[in-house]
Amino acid sequence: QVQLVESGGGLVQPGGSLRLSCVVSISAAERPAVGWYRQSPGKQRELVASIGTIGPAHIADSVTGRSTISRDNAKDTVYLQMNSLKPEDTGVYYCNVLLRGSPTYAWGQGTQVTVSS
């Protein structure tokens, strides 16, 4: 059973930064692609960034230049560093293992990011 545990969200002022963490409990022999998704109020869940086995694979236009995705395989953790946050970045952020570009497992609880002054 794969578990996805997101953390690192919070309330931050516009222009601030957050680092989100996603622990993916999966066989150490696997290094799956992982994606970070955002669900903003009234909107569908959207892919924000993804990372493959060896490096970043996708960064959405909405966060390009402000966000970096990385992974620490020793800790089974994928990070999303978000800088210069904007109110439109507000939402619940989820991570998931990607298979052929699609989320694979049941969603975790996510972590809430609120950008507001």
Side-chain angles (χ1 to χ4, degrees):
Q1 182 74 20
V2 174
Q3 288 188 317
L4 305 162
V5 181
E6 303 94 343
S7 63
L11 173 62
V12 63
Q13 293 187 341
S17 298
L18 285 173
R19 188 176 79 158
L20 308 183
S21 299
C22 167
V23 178
V24 183
S25 60
I26 197 167
S27 167
E30 303 180 59
R31 294 289 180 256
V34 174
W36 275 103
Y37 290 77
R38 173 175 67 206
Q39 186 158 24
S40 300
K43 296 184 178 180
Q44 289 189 330
R45 200 170 334 212
E46 60 176 340
L47 179 65
V48 174
S50 65
I51 187 165
T53 302
I54 60 173
H58 170 77
I59 299 288
D61 290 343
S62 59
V63 300
T64 292
R66 302 188 294 118
S67 297
T68 304
I69 188 169
S70 61
R71 69 192 305 161
D72 183 338
N73 291 331
K75 296 182 179 179
D76 295 331
T77 302
V78 174
Y79 302 100
L80 182 66
Q81 176 70 43
M82 304 182 68
N83 303 319
S84 302
L85 283 162
K86 304 176 180 180
E88 50 263 45
D89 293 319
T90 294
V92 181
Y93 285 71
Y94 301 87
C95 63
N96 211 320
V97 172
L98 301 178
L99 181 62
R100 298 186 185 90
S102 296
T104 305
Y105 297 103
W107 297 100
Q109 292 188 335
T111 186
Q112 175 72 47
V113 171
T114 302
V115 184
S116 175
S117 55

